[in-house]
Amino acid sequence: MTSPRKILVTGGAGYIGSHTVQLLLEQGYDVAVVDNLSKGYRRNVPAGRLFAMNIADTKALTELMRQTRTEAVIHFAASIAVGESMREPETYFANNTCASLSLLTAMLRADVKHLVFSSTAAVYGNPHASPILESFPLQAVNPYGESKVMVETLLRWFGAIHHLTSVSLRYFNASGCDPQGRLGEEHEPETHLIPLLLRAVATGTPVTVFGGDYDTPDGTCIRDYIHVLDLAQAHILALEYLMQGGASDQFNVGTGTGHTVMEAIRAVEEVTAQKVPYVIGPRREGDPPALVASSDKLRSKLGWSPKYGDLRTIVEHAWNFARSKS
Ligand code: UDP
């Protein structure tokens, strides 16, 4: 019997990271998690797998990868709030770009050759057409997106010079959670639409819809909501692709279907059988009217397809988790 592949996951105590760790373990991988617990939760990581350290500590990270005989890395650890990045760009370039450089340096020293990187649809900025193809220009319009573009650039050079192979997964709107309710989405502060809509139902405090005058069917923004477990599965497919000798590449991870904010409100009302209290407010700075992925490349090249593709299922899973916490 072959021994399980040893994978290091940075940011594995966070929302997407912890769902991916759970899926990796279910699929027989041996996982070590590095997380500084600044945003993630210790309880999200199975006992004995968490190494509480900062990925900016290149030396400690190198040692850990040597000790655990890491074969590949999945890199989630990052700051994620677009609005905050417009106020504190330094935090984003430090935590996302510089810390990733530290990780890549450690990988080099420990002779680890494969990386799956959490990139984002924010690398495209305000795309000129929809759905978005991977070949569209990278024109981030905020420091968050730019910090990820910079890591994709680092990856290109580490590939060309050091033969590190990588897959950058450009996420659309991750949402939903483990159907069994073991893990969920818990950001502090919460900025994401679906948990905010569920919170509005629970508390009666209205949620603000950011803009009702966009050039979309009902005037509200369109996004491509992707179930976090379908996103997690894309990481595992990317990992297998790289470990089988695949060349470096970039993939969108979305369903290819867009929903307006009003459609999300209706889905929450159907699932909870309650009204969502909301008010229409001004547009949020930096919000593109529509972001919908073309997921053709991910489907055809990595054989991915969403298991939980419809918005209602995503909302149902998120609602189960929200109820279990209240
Ligand atoms: N949104 C909203 N009110 C909120 C939070 C979000 O209307 O309180 C909208 C936002 O303008 C966007 C969509 O919901 O069109 C998804 O926003 P989210 O912050 O969840 O993700 P993003 O698309 O910014 O990554």
Side-chain angles (χ1 to χ4, degrees), residues 173 191-193 196 207-210 221 223 225 261 284 287:
N173 289 65
T191 60
H192 291 124
L193 181 67
L196 286 176
V207 70
T208 301
V209 174
F210 296 143
C221 284
R223 293 290 181 272
Y225 296 91
V261 175
R284 183 170 65 176
D287 254 349

